Amino acid sequence: MTDFQRAVLTVVDELVESGAERGVQVAVYRRGELLADVARGVADPETGRPLTSDTPVYATSTGKGVTATLVHVLAERGIVDYDTPIADVWPEFAAHGKEKATVRHALTHATGIPGVPVGTTPEDLCDWDRMCAAVADATPWWEPGTRSGYHPQTYGYILGEVVRRVTGKRVSQVLREELTEPLGVAGELFFGVPGSELGRLARIEEAGPPMELSAEMLAQIPFFRVVHGHTAAPLAAMPDAAFSNRADVLSSDIPAGATMTARAVARMYDALLGGELVSPARLRELSSPAVTGVDEVTGAPATWGLGYSIGLTQALPSPTLFGMAGSGGTAAFADTETGLSVGVTKNRISAGDFGTVERIAKVVLGVV
């Protein structure tokens, strides 16, 4: 075992043995070499099934980086262009003043439609055609391209439907054909998980009892506001443990999130850095700041590349990092300075708390 692998293993062991986490996966690649592949803890506390390196974990918005990568692969092949108006390939999307919204705007959370209908349920999110129709008919909160605000669910449907329109295939099929099979991770990275694979997945659990927020308190939080009957955070479909363990959610294409192993998503980012998926020029473009400012939805400062956060969290602000963190405390990212690609997954939801990711990332980035 190398010193690097030992350092990663030590911090993961501490997290699991202390009870801070139930199960954790960490994988680190550099230039095609798997430097660390660590998995510790339990995948399912009811059965005691261990979490192993090949146990897929539902990872909410960490999956947005997968969706973005798929778009970049298609752009590299000339199948889609960042500055193509979405309505050129999806005419219905032009409704209510969205005709100038482009693929680039979608990648940078700038289309102006961050919300879904306020009464949206998990069953609705599983219905691709229903959600795409709702997105296409939505009235923008701002003129597309003039501002940026996090698109929690609509991001996946907008880009996923663009993928479907330009390829004629569902986004999960394109993911398999263009990314996971060529990279050798077809059994470890999914949008809709095949029913036969559901028994392999980690069981998601809450870190503690849910926080009770009154209607008055919710009204004071920008993320929960309602505009034109839409909200970025529909209360009936929040990505809690119950949502994240639903068979219908896991087996549906909801590409604002994804189900993955740390090893598979780290391999994807390594392929981006290494030139397997895109040219050096495209890598520079997608990993450079495209939009910077106060986010219209979260109210917090944000810097976006083309589909990735630049700098991962407040504690990991380096402009050489690009990737995506997920609401449950997972993350995957690459560092253009060191050539490292990192995946961190876990099955205990820590909503908005990225302490585990930050602790692991600092070890990874500090050792090398």
Side-chain angles (χ1 to χ4, degrees):
M1 184 182 297
T2 65
D3 289 344
F4 181 83
Q5 172 112 347
R6 188 174 293 108
V8 174
L9 182 60
T10 296
V11 69
V12 171
D13 277 339
E14 289 175 358
L15 287 163
V16 173
E17 291 170 5
S18 69
E21 298 292 354
R22 177 74 71 177
V24 178
Q25 294 174 336
V26 179
V28 183
Y29 274 89
R30 184 174 59 187
R31 302 184 187 96
E33 181 184 358
L34 184 58
L35 300 181
D37 183 14
V38 171
R40 286 290 188 271
V42 175
D44 185 344
E46 290 189 7
T47 65
R49 176 166 54 93
L51 186 77
T52 60
S53 293
D54 63 355
T55 303
V57 182
Y58 184 63
T60 59
S61 290
T62 301
K64 287 182 172 69
V66 179
T67 304
T69 302
L70 190 58
V71 171
H72 297 313
V73 168
L74 295 180
E76 184 73 16
R77 294 178 51 196
I79 295 172
V80 68
D81 187 270
Y82 302 137
D83 293 314
T84 296
I86 295 166
D88 280 9
V89 300
W90 179 6
E92 301 92 332
F93 189 84
H96 309 298
K98 302 192 299 296
E99 66 277 357
K100 294 182 180 179
T102 65
V103 174
R104 187 183 301 274
H105 295 151
L107 287 165
T108 55
H109 299 261
T111 66
I113 46 172
V116 295
V118 69
T120 296
T121 64
E123 291 85 355
D124 292 331
L125 294 179
C126 294
D127 187 332
W128 185 265
D129 292 338
R130 180 186 183 93
M131 292 308 302
C132 287
V135 165
D137 192 47
T139 298
W141 296 15
W142 59 83
E143 181 183 346
T146 62
R147 286 179 268 174
S148 178
Y150 189 56
H151 290 35
Q153 291 291 2
T154 57
Y155 177 96
Y157 295 109
I158 295 168
L159 290 171
E161 183 66 1
V162 167
V163 168
R164 191 181 75 83
R165 296 283 177 139
V166 300
T167 65
K169 303 173 184 177
R170 295 190 69 89
V171 66
S172 54
Q173 181 180 350
V174 181
L175 175 70
R176 185 175 65 252
E177 293 176 355
E178 300 291 342
L179 267 182
T180 62
E181 287 182 349
L183 296 181
V185 295
E188 297 186 17
L189 179 57
F190 308 95
F191 290 135
V193 180
S196 60
E197 301 292 311
L198 290 175
R200 296 175 49 218
L201 272 54
R203 190 81 179 163
I204 306 300
E205 63 179 40
E206 302 285 352
M211 184 182 298
E212 296 294 336
L213 296 174
S214 66
E216 293 76 14
M217 295 172 68
L218 287 173
Q220 301 302 312
I221 302 174
F223 193 66
F224 289 92
R225 75 182 185 275
V226 177
V227 180
H228 305 313
H230 287 58
T231 178
L235 293 179
M238 296 298 287
D240 56 13
F243 176 92
S244 303
N245 289 321
R246 288 178 61 128
D248 57 349
V249 167
L250 293 166
S251 59
S252 296
D253 286 339
I254 307 178
T259 300
M260 64 188 71
T261 65
R263 183 171 61 192
V265 73
R267 171 75 179 99
M268 183 198 78
Y269 278 98
D270 185 63
L272 268 178
L273 286 185
E276 294 178 69
L277 300 178
V278 300
S279 68
R282 191 175 302 276
L283 174 65
R284 285 192 296 273
E285 181 177 13
L286 66 85
S287 61
S288 298
V291 172
T292 299
V294 175
D295 189 283
E296 291 289 326
V297 173
T298 68
T303 299
W304 292 104
L306 296 185
Y308 312 96
S309 174
I310 305 301
L312 202 64
T313 67
Q314 288 186 341
L316 296 167
S318 170
T320 66
L321 300 180
F322 73 95
M324 279 300 300
S327 61
T330 61
F333 63 92
D335 184 357
T336 56
E337 181 177 22
T338 64
L340 292 169
S341 296
V342 184
V344 181
T345 63
K346 63 195 195 75
N347 59 345
R348 177 170 287 168
I349 286 178
S350 52
D353 179 358
F354 296 101
T356 288
V357 164
E358 290 165 353
R359 185 174 173 188
I360 291 168
K362 288 176 180 178
V363 167
V364 169
L365 298 173
V367 168
V368 173

